[in-house]
């Protein structure tokens, strides 16, 4: 996977590190009864606009941290009007009011591996040492070096403050050699063992097929970066918008309050045939045990969908979960999803006559949120 050393995932699991991912706090949570949570019941009244970029700009694929009354939202965003060159922006909100939005991570000078797009952020707290400095935050992100959806790879940057500045690690930690394939990206990460440097990193790989993987990354000393062999994540139990078995990509994950289960929000398929046909109509929330996820086994339990019937938007895509700094669900009584909306119109993928278009789809991407509450009996 990388040219660096590896860390055996099975050894970590056997040592119990991953079963109580946040140390003492996790052990305390494990002793308490699980909340009733067979499914989520969405509250339509909670649907709210989070961030609407100015005309000619887009925002999608948010990484969301809720800390008291403050929300920290990193997203994929262009920096010049109607120029498709991705930066990572930070938008902060206090009591629901946007207080700032600005670029915090952008492409490196050529010929760096991330010299064109930087996108798909996932921010997590921990204790990371790099270049003689102790950092408190890591941002995993997608980068590439071509003006296309190709040769994507996953890198990481560090900061002492969530507002930045962010210091990039110079090489990708999940690589992709083929420049004619989508590659590896859409990272999502949660902290393991509290303020350690160990992180569970999951991501999408797209080449001859689309699938998801996870590894444990030890960034305690980044110069001696260790990455466990990747585990292929299960897709059993996931269903598409058409009710058929589905695959896993375009997802964000969080640990639940107990630390024993993983909750995911992910794009549903099949994709539509009208503009934009490259994003999903809906997202699904599901859960699986952390033990099963790390073993690449088990079955996802679908919990609920965010779709046109719920939101009124014809596209609901590229979503993130509201989390704590270490990657747990921010609200133990439910799930808040921050998703991207889009308009839709002709043309179709089979008849791409753009003169028919009435929807400037990319520049309609903005961020919305909705909350679901646990219902049912604990399993």
């Amino acid at each position: 996977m990388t040219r660096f050393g590896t860390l055996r995932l099975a050894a970590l699991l056997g040592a119990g590190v991953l079963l109580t991912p946040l140390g003492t706090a996790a052990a305390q949570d494990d002793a308490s009864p699980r909340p009733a949570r067979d499914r989520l019941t969405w509250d339509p009244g909670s649907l709210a606009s989070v961030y609407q970029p100015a005309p000619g700009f887009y925002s999608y694929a948010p990484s969301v941290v809720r800390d008291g009354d403050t929300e920290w939202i990193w997203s994929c965003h262009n920096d010049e009007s109607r120029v498709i060159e991705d930066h990572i922006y930070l938008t902060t909100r206090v009591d629901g009011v946007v207080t700032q939005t600005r670029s915090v991570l952008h492409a490196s000078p050529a010929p760096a591996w991330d010299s064109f797009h930087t996108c798909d952020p996932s921010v997590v707290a921990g204790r990371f040492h790099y270049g003689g400095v102790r950092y408190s935050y890591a941002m995993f992100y997608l980068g590439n070096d071509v003006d296309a959806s190709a040769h994507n790879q996953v890198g990481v940057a560090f900061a002492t403050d969530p507002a930045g500045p962010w210091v990039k690690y110079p090489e990708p930690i999940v690589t992709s050699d083929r420049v004619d394939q989508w590659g590896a990206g859409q990272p999502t990460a949660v902290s393991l063992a509290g303020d350690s440097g160990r992180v569970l990193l999951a991501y999408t790989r797209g080449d001859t097929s689309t699938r998801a993987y996870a590894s444990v990354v030890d960034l305690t000393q980044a110069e001696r970066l260790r990455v466990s062999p990747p585990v292929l994540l299960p897709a059993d139990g996931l269903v598409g918008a058409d009710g058929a078995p589905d695959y896993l990509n375009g997802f964000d994950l969080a640990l639940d309050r107990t630390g024993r289960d993983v909750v995911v929000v992910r794009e549903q398929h099949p994709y539509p045939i009208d503009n934009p046909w490259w994003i999903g109509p809906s997202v699904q929330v599901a859960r699986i045990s952390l033990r099963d996820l790390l073993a690449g086994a088990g079955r996802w339990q679908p919990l609920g969908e965010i779709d046109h019937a719920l939101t009124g938007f014809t596209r609901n895509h590229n979503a993130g979960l509201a989390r704590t700094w270490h990657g747990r669900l921010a609200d133990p009584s439910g799930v808040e999803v921050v998703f991207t909306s889009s308009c839709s119109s002709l043309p179709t993928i089979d008849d791409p006559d753009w003169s028919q278009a009435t929807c400037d789809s990319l520049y309609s991407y903005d961020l919305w949120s909705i909350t679901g509450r646990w219902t049912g009996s604990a399993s």
Side-chain angles (χ1 to χ4, degrees), residues 32-41 256-258 260-261 287 301 303 329 331-335 372-379:
S32 61
R34 291 190 175 191
R37 52 174 188 178
D38 269 355
R39 283 188 64 83
L40 288 171
T41 298
D256 76 345
R257 181 175 63 86
T258 70
R260 292 180 290 181
D261 283 352
R287 67 166 173 161
Q301 177 191 2
L303 299 171
L329 291 174
D331 184 354
S333 66
V335 176
R373 299 297 175 193
W374 298 117
T375 59
S377 301
S379 58

Side-chain angles (χ1 to χ4, degrees), residues 64-68 70-71 253-257 263 321-338 371 373-374:
V64 183
V65 172
R66 182 181 293 280
D67 186 355
T70 301
E71 294 165 287
L253 59 81
L255 295 173
D256 76 345
R257 181 175 63 86
V263 174
L321 298 166
R323 314 189 313 173
T324 67
W325 286 112
H326 289 101
R328 292 202 174 202
L329 291 174
D331 184 354
S333 66
V335 176
E336 180 187 352
V337 176
V338 179
T371 299
R373 299 297 175 193
W374 298 117

